[in-house]
Amino acid sequence: TISLPIPHPNQAACNDEGAPIEMALLLLCSMCESGSRSVWENVTDSTPLTQTNTGSLQFNTVVSAAFWVVHLPKWMVEDSLPMLDKLFRKMCRVPYRTRLAIFWREETNQHRHFENGHDGDESEMCEASVRVLVCTQEDRGQDGNCLETQEGYKPLVNSSDLVIHHGTNLEIFIKGNLVKLHDLASLKFQPFHENRATLNVRRVQTNISAAGNIEIMADDLSLFSASIVLPIKK
């Protein structure tokens, strides 16, 4: 006999008219081997379930598997498996305490040619590079011997402590009088790996300062935003 606690929302779920929403209990089962990706199956209708006075759900099984009790509105039950699978994978991602260190470097034509691999026209001239580094250790991004210092980058701005989950997709956006030369600017956070992304940028109007805003999104949510000014000399 297996006994699992029944999850309850922090507050009663109500519709727009204030009436309580009818809820349902689902029992999900995954028979995948340890280390394999879980594939969930709804076994609610095929498994006799008993609710106890202590707020648990009891049932009998003869198989070795992972079980998951879900409490959700009845109208969501029919097409809930893809959503629940996505929720489960998100909950299983390990959170890490991190910081973002952002650097910049004024570029020459030689740097631009090396990094882009082609000679762009005058409108694509790269004036500077902005590098985003995800730090998972206290001293990374501050060490004078770090890769950025060796490559001629200068510190621009640092974030406070942030929580980023393993496998999070980070997208980098720049606004203001700065524009990216390539649309794609992202990285996938992998702890204990190099987590760097470099953007080639130029001024929109060359007669005013290279000022703008950098924003980093994590899974479509804003993770960090800051105003930046690149002291470009030319």
Side-chain angles (χ1 to χ4, degrees), residues 48-60:
L49 303 174
T50 303
Q51 294 191 42
T52 68
N53 295 331
T54 59
S56 298
L57 198 68
Q58 288 187 346
F59 57 94
N60 295 319

Side-chain angles (χ1 to χ4, degrees), residues 53-155:
N53 295 331
T54 59
S56 298
L57 198 68
Q58 288 187 346
F59 57 94
N60 295 319
T61 181
V62 295
V63 300
S64 177
F67 292 95
W68 183 17
V69 175
V70 181
H71 198 195
L72 75 171
K74 271 193 173 181
W75 62 268
M76 296 179 64
V77 170
E78 185 175 353
D79 300 317
S80 62
L81 279 182
M83 178 270 292
L84 292 173
D85 178 67
K86 183 177 180 180
L87 176 63
F88 178 80
R89 287 187 285 115
K90 187 172 183 178
M91 291 189 301
C92 288
R93 294 192 301 178
V94 179
Y96 287 86
R97 189 180 71 174
T98 66
R99 289 181 302 105
L100 298 175
I102 301 173
F103 302 82
W104 86 286
R105 179 180 68 187
E106 189 167 1
E107 294 292 11
T108 64
N109 290 346
Q110 181 178 2
H111 282 141
R112 180 186 58 80
H113 177 76
F114 176 79
E115 294 190 358
N116 292 346
H118 63 83
D119 288 321
D121 57 32
E122 185 176 355
S123 65
E124 293 180 333
M125 181 66 67
C126 173
E127 292 187 294
S129 291
V130 175
R131 176 170 292 177
V132 176
L133 170 64
V134 183
C135 310
T136 53
Q137 299 176 11
E138 291 295 334
D139 57 346
R140 288 199 56 188
Q142 302 290 338
D143 189 351
N145 294 321
C146 68
L147 177 63
E148 281 64 36
T149 301
Q150 296 175 25
E151 292 186 346
Y153 283 89
K154 299 176 182 178

Side-chain angles (χ1 to χ4, degrees), residues 104 106 127-128 178 201-203 210 229-234:
W104 86 286
E106 189 167 1
E127 292 187 294
L178 290 169
V201 301
R202 65 173 175 84
R203 286 172 289 182
V229 178
L230 309 183
I232 297 174
K233 296 177 183 178
K234 57 185 177 181

